[in-house]
């Protein structure tokens, strides 16, 4: 029983150390950067990410945060220009795939379905470890747990960033609409005051003409 207790304490300590390590790494190192791009109507925007070896996992996460019906066409191409993945009129999407060949992979967002709407797409591309590095992680349970925890924390950070960006864009849209409503209300008031003044001037002029007569 004493040996069992020691073993349990060792596992608990290992997990605690792993969580502390992942938290420290996540606080100081950004595994990948999130970008926002404006895609004009009838236009495409493409970005490239280099993959060093075949078998490497690549993860794409994107969301349309502003513009039109909040949808976009997306596609991923390999270094040989072969289509890896595509999506039509998606508001948000995720894809995880293994690179077949090394080289620059192309990630494209198309807004050709829109006539005038400009859309804002926030996305991130994460290139994982090579196949050899993953094999080493599989042999070490502690390192594998740390890697999984790190990926989970990264995904949570991405979701929070998407929510903040979408909330900011929606707030900006709401403020713009409120400003337009206020300006139109002021214009309506001025028009009503102007019409009232014109009617009063017309009536006063008619009464003065009758009095003169």
């Amino acid at each position: 029983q004493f040996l069992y207790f020691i073993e349990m304490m060792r596992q608990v300590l290992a997990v605690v150390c792993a969580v502390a390590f992942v938290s420290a790494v996540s606080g100081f190192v950004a595994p990948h950067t999130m970008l926002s791009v404006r895609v004009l109507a009838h236009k495409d925007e493409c970005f490239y990410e280099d993959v060093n070896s075949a078998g490497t996992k690549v993860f794409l996460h994107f969301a349309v945060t502003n513009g039109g019906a909040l949808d976009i066409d997306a596609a991923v191409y390999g270094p040989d220009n072969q289509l890896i993945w595509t999506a039509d009129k998606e508001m948000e999407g995720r894809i995880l795939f293994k690179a077949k060949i090394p080289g620059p992979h192309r990630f494209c967002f198309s807004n050709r379905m829109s006539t005038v709407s400009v859309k804002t797409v926030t996305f991130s591309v994460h290139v994982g470890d090579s196949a050899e590095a993953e094999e080493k992680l599989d042999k070490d349970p502690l390192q594998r747990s740390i890697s999984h925890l790190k990926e989970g924390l990264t995904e949570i950070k991405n979701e929070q960033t998407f929510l903040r960006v979408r909330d900011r864009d929606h707030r900006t849209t709401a403020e713009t609409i409120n400003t337009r409503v206020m300006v139109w209300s002021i214009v309506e008031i001025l028009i009503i005051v102007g019409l009232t003044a014109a009617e009063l001037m017309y009536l006063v002029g008619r009464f003065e003409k009758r009095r003169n007569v």
Side-chain angles (χ1 to χ4, degrees):
Q1 293 180 353
F2 180 74
L3 293 177
Y4 177 76
F5 175 75
I6 294 297
E7 181 65 20
M8 288 293 295
M9 291 299 296
R10 188 183 70 81
Q11 293 180 1
V12 171
L13 181 62
V15 172
V16 171
C17 292
V19 172
F21 174 77
V22 172
S23 300
V25 171
S26 300
F28 293 100
V29 179
H32 52 283
T33 303
M34 301 191 68
L35 300 174
S36 292
V37 59
R38 286 167 52 86
V39 186
L40 302 178
H42 299 294
K43 296 294 183 180
D44 298 338
E45 292 289 344
C46 293
F47 301 87
Y48 293 84
E49 188 71 27
D50 195 35
V51 179
N52 295 324
S53 61
T56 300
K57 289 182 179 180
V58 182
F59 179 66
L60 167 67
H61 184 193
F62 72 90
V64 183
T65 57
N66 192 20
L70 297 179
D71 58 348
I72 200 78
D73 294 340
V76 180
Y77 299 89
D80 54 355
N81 288 328
Q82 292 294 320
L83 180 64
I84 298 175
W85 174 82
T86 183
D88 296 331
K89 297 183 178 180
E90 292 288 340
M91 298 178 62
E92 182 176 359
R94 296 180 178 88
I95 175 178
L96 176 65
F97 65 93
K98 286 186 177 181
K100 294 182 179 180
I101 55 177
H105 286 62
R106 188 167 85 252
F107 303 85
C108 295
F109 302 102
S110 175
N111 193 23
R112 293 186 179 275
M113 85 285 284
S114 297
T115 54
V116 295
S117 298
V118 179
K119 298 177 182 178
T120 302
V121 181
T122 301
F123 70 97
S124 64
V125 179
H126 175 56
V127 179
D129 297 325
S130 62
E132 293 79 5
E134 289 192 355
E135 289 180 0
K136 293 180 181 179
L137 287 177
D138 291 337
K139 296 179 181 178
D140 190 341
L142 180 58
Q143 292 293 333
R144 185 171 63 250
S145 299
I146 292 174
S147 177
H148 290 166
L149 288 172
K150 186 176 179 181
E151 291 177 358
L153 290 175
T154 300
E155 185 63 20
I156 291 173
K157 280 188 173 182
N158 285 347
E159 290 293 341
Q160 291 177 343
T161 302
F162 279 121
L163 290 175
R164 283 196 297 268
V165 171
R166 183 166 291 178
D167 178 70
R168 182 191 63 197
D169 291 337
H170 289 177
R171 185 171 61 251
T172 301
T173 302
E175 291 175 353
T176 302
I177 293 174
N178 290 336
T179 302
R180 291 177 180 176
V181 170
M182 183 180 66
V183 171
W184 179 244
S185 299
I186 294 173
V187 171
E188 285 183 337
I189 292 172
L190 294 176
I191 292 174
I192 292 172
V193 171
L195 291 175
T196 303
E199 289 179 356
L200 288 175
M201 293 176 63
Y202 174 76
L203 292 174
V204 169
R206 291 293 299 270
F207 285 132
E208 288 182 350
K209 287 182 179 179
R210 289 184 178 181
R211 186 178 299 174
N212 294 331
V213 172

